């Protein structure tokens, strides 16, 4: 009986840990609310060159139901915020698209690229 309990406990722990990284489909605003630390930034140039930079400066964002705040050192900028999956609207302008979301990770693609040199700008965040 003890062996069965150990096996069941191990299965429950494994299921619990794996569910943290399950992708969230049809995200709602409450899935985004929280503090997200920047992990990396990836830029793809028009010639296909890709550069990934690991974040080291403690940059993060704070999302509430109505605001999107970027924090970079002592600099903090707050925007009115709306979410219409997959679009994140700051000041009613589509700034980011949600590319991937789990309970612990969020990947956003920037819509503010000029298209002359940069074709894609992606930010990966980890939930605090």
């Amino acid at each position: 009986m003890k062996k069965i309990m150990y096996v069941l406990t191990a299965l429950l722990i494994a299921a619990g840990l794996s569910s943290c990284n399950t992708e969230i489909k049809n995200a709602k605003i409450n899935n985004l609310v929280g503090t997200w630390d920047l992990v990396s930034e990836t830029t793809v140039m028009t010639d296909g060159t890709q550069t990934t930079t690991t974040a080291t400066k403690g940059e993060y964002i704070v999302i509430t139901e109505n605001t999107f705040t970027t924090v970079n050192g002592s600099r903090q900028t707050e925007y009115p915020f709306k979410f219409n999956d997959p679009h994140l609207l700051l000041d009613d302008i589509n700034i980011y698209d949600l590319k991937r979301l789990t309970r612990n990770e969020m990947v956003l693609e920037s819509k503010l690229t000029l298209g002359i040199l940069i074709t894609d700008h992606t930010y990966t965040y980890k939930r605090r």
Side-chain angles (χ1 to χ4, degrees):
M1 186 68 173
K2 283 185 180 180
K3 288 182 181 181
I4 292 173
M5 292 303 289
Y6 287 131
V7 170
L8 288 175
T9 302
L11 288 173
L12 288 173
I13 290 172
L17 292 175
S18 66
S19 68
C20 292
N21 289 323
T22 302
E23 191 163 350
I24 298 171
K25 301 290 185 188
N26 302 318
K28 306 284 186 244
I29 196 161
N30 63 335
N31 300 121
L32 303 176
V33 170
T35 302
W36 298 86
D37 291 309
L38 182 64
V39 174
S40 66
E41 194 174 324
T42 301
T43 303
V44 179
M45 308 303 274
T46 54
D47 66 0
T49 306
Q50 182 173 324
T51 305
T52 300
T53 307
T54 302
T56 58
K57 300 178 184 174
E59 298 172 51
Y60 62 95
I61 58 175
V62 179
I63 300 175
T64 68
E65 286 191 25
N66 301 311
T67 61
F68 185 100
T69 305
T70 60
V71 181
N72 185 350
S74 62
R75 187 171 156 202
Q76 183 173 323
T77 309
E78 185 175 295
Y79 302 93
F81 172 69
K82 293 179 187 171
F83 179 66
N84 184 11
D85 190 21
H87 310 295
L88 283 80
L89 307 169
L90 310 183
D91 277 337
D92 286 326
I93 300 169
N94 183 17
I95 304 296
Y96 300 104
D97 279 346
L98 180 65
K99 290 298 179 187
R100 184 177 181 324
L101 180 66
T102 68
R103 288 182 36 85
N104 297 324
E105 183 183 63
M106 175 172 59
V107 178
L108 301 178
E109 180 181 59
S110 174
K111 287 302 194 180
L112 289 179
T113 56
L114 298 175
I116 298 169
L117 297 175
I118 300 173
T119 59
D120 190 17
H121 207 96
T122 305
Y123 303 90
T124 302
Y125 292 92
K126 183 178 179 182
R127 188 184 297 271
R128 275 195 189 168

